[in-house]
Amino acid sequence: MVRISLDVMGGDFGPQVVIPGAARALERHPDIRFVLYGLEDQCAPLLEKYPKLKANSTFHASELAIGMDEKPSQALRRGRGKASMWQAIDAVNKGEADVIVSAGNTGALMAMSVFCLRTMAGIQRPAIAAIWPTLKGESIVLDVGATIGADAQQLMDFALMGGAMARALFEVERPTLGLLNVGVEEIKGQEEVKEAGRLIREAAPDGIDYFGFVEGDDIGRGTVDVVVTEGFSGNIALKASEGTARQIAEYLRAAMSRTLLAKIGYILAKGAFDRLREKMDPRKVNGGVFLGLNGVVIKSHGGTDAEGFAAAIDVGYDMVRNGLKAKIENDLQKYHASRPSEGAARGLADEV
C-alpha cells in the first residue's frame, strides 16, 4: 500500500479538483491509501460524492488554507501546524504518509517542506525536477525554479539527484545526463557550468552516463534522459515550452476552422490530430518532484483539472514504488564517500 497525503485546499480550485483527481488516481492504483487535509465544510460534501475514495481515505480537518499569492515567509508563520499544506507535509515527516502532493503555492510548499522535512545530508539546496515530453519519450529537467542560481557543487548535486530520479522513473541502469549550456563546446558558458562538468567527469558516478553540454533545443529532442541547469534558466525554459505548446495548438485550431476544405481535412485526419493533442496535453506530465529533501514532495500545477491532478498523484505513486528517496541517498553516500575529507585534502596540500 502507498500512503499519499493530499493538501486538499491547494491550487486555484482546491477540493473541486483535488478530490475528483484523487478518485481518478484511486481507480488506476487501488493500493493507494489517502490521508486528506482540508477545511471540513468544503471537503466533506464533496467526499460524499466519491464513496470509494472516502472508504480509502482518512480525513483530517485543518484550520486554514494557504493562499496562492502568499509570500513563503508569511505562509510559514501563519500556517505552521494549522494549514492543510503544513499538515500534509508533516504527515510524511511523521511517517504517516509516503509522499505528499499539493497544487498549492510553490514558494510556500518549498519553504514548508524544507522547514519540516529538512534537506538530505550533503545537499545545500533542493531542486524541482520536471518530467518533460520529448521526441523520444520523456526526460527530466532540473532545477525548474526552486532557487535562483547555483554553483558548481550544487549543479553536481542536481546531477546525482536527477540521475537517481531517472532510474526510478524510467527504470534505466545508467541514464544519460547533460548540462544545459549556451553551446556544446567545453570553452563556452559560465564558469560554474564548466566547473560542474569537470566535477561530474572526475566523479564518474556509477548511476550516470555523462553526455556533456546540451543546448535548449536538445531538451525537446530527448538528446539525454536528464538535463541539469539552475532554477532561473530552468524555469524560463519550462514556461517558454508551455507557451509554445499553447501557441501551436491555437495556430492549428485557427487553421482547421478557416475554410470548409480545412474543416473537411480535419475530419479526415481527426485520428492524427487527437494523437497530437494527447501528446501535447500538459496534464499528462503534470507533477514536479522536490528533490533533496528527507521525504517525497510532488508539486502539481495550480490551475490543472482533475485529470492533471491525478497525473501528479501518479508521479508520487511511481516515486514511492520505485524507491526514489533511497536511490538518492545511496548515490549521495557513494559520492561523498569517494571524496577525500577536508582534513585529508588539507594534509595533502601541506605535503605538496
Side-chain angles (χ1 to χ4, degrees):
M1 182 174 291
V2 177
R3 302 165 302 164
I4 300 178
S5 65
L6 300 181
D7 167 23
V8 184
M9 307 309 298
D12 296 339
F13 309 106
Q16 300 292 334
V17 160
V18 174
I19 289 177
R24 293 190 185 198
L26 185 61
E27 291 294 328
R28 297 200 279 258
H29 310 290
D31 56 335
I32 289 178
R33 178 75 185 183
F34 287 109
V35 188
L36 309 177
Y37 295 89
L39 305 182
E40 189 167 12
D41 60 335
Q42 295 185 35
C43 298
L46 272 172
L47 269 175
E48 292 299 328
K49 297 179 180 180
Y50 300 93
K52 187 176 179 180
L53 174 64
K54 185 178 179 181
N56 285 272
S57 303
T58 302
F59 177 78
H60 298 276
S62 305
E63 292 183 34
L64 55 90
I66 299 298
M68 294 297 283
D69 58 349
E70 284 192 51
K71 293 181 178 180
S73 57
Q74 177 189 1
L76 193 57
R77 286 194 302 269
R78 192 173 75 91
R80 185 176 179 181
K82 302 176 182 178
S84 58
M85 181 183 287
W86 174 279
Q87 292 172 330
I89 298 168
D90 199 35
V92 174
N93 183 49
K94 293 176 178 176
E96 296 168 359
D98 303 305
V99 55
I100 176 261
V101 183
S102 173
N105 181 321
T106 304
L109 183 64
M110 178 59 78
M112 287 186 176
S113 297
V114 171
F115 194 91
C116 188
L117 299 174
R118 307 295 182 183
T119 56
M120 291 179 173
I123 293 295
Q124 298 176 21
R125 293 183 178 183
I128 302 177
I131 300 169
W132 206 288
T134 73
L135 294 176
K136 296 181 180 179
E138 291 178 338
S139 64
I140 294 167
V141 181
L142 75 159
D143 176 24
V144 293
T147 53
I148 303 302
D151 61 27
Q153 184 56 56
Q154 289 158 357
L155 291 172
M156 175 74 209
D157 293 339
F158 293 172
L160 292 170
M161 295 189 295
M165 179 175 167
R167 295 203 309 279
L169 185 65
F170 304 144
E171 298 182 6
V172 293
E173 187 176 343
R174 287 179 59 84
T176 55
L177 180 141
L179 284 169
L180 188 64
N181 201 357
V182 295
V184 297
E185 299 86 356
E186 292 296 325
I187 61 171
K188 287 188 175 181
Q190 295 179 317
E191 289 303 318
E192 293 85 353
V193 178
K194 291 189 283 187
E195 176 64 10
R198 183 189 67 80
L199 289 176
I200 297 172
R201 282 194 304 271
E202 290 182 356
D206 291 340
I208 293 174
D209 184 6
Y210 181 53
F211 179 87
F213 295 151
V214 294
E215 297 182 88
D217 58 345
D218 286 309
I219 302 177
R221 288 177 182 172
T223 302
V224 291
D225 298 312
V226 182
V227 177
V228 172
T229 185
E230 54 82 34
F232 184 81
S233 55
N235 190 264
I236 289 175
L238 177 66
K239 298 297 174 57
S241 68
E242 291 175 344
T244 301
R246 285 193 292 269
Q247 182 181 0
I248 292 172
E250 215 34 63
Y251 282 161
L252 286 172
R253 191 176 297 110
M256 291 300 101
S257 60
R258 187 167 294 147
T259 65
L260 177 61
L261 189 61
K263 292 178 181 178
I264 294 172
Y266 170 77
I267 293 172
L268 294 174
K270 187 176 183 302
F273 281 112
D274 287 345
R275 287 192 294 274
L276 176 63
R277 186 183 298 111
E278 184 176 356
K279 188 71 175 177
M280 295 178 63
D281 188 348
R283 300 177 305 172
K284 302 296 183 181
V285 289
N286 183 35
V289 184
F290 287 9
L291 300 178
L293 300 170
N294 290 305
V296 184
V297 180
I298 308 297
K299 171 64 175 75
S300 164
H301 281 301
T304 194
D305 60 10
E307 181 57 36
F309 193 80
I313 294 174
D314 291 343
V315 172
Y317 177 90
D318 289 340
M319 294 300 97
V320 173
R321 274 291 182 209
N322 293 310
L324 171 66
K325 182 171 175 287
K327 284 182 170 65
I328 293 176
E329 288 173 337
N330 184 58
D331 285 2
L332 291 173
Q333 186 177 12
K334 285 183 179 179
Y335 170 66
H336 290 292
S338 67
R339 300 176 67 194
S341 65
E342 291 184 7
R346 284 195 297 269
L348 180 61
D350 291 341
E351 288 179 15
V352 173

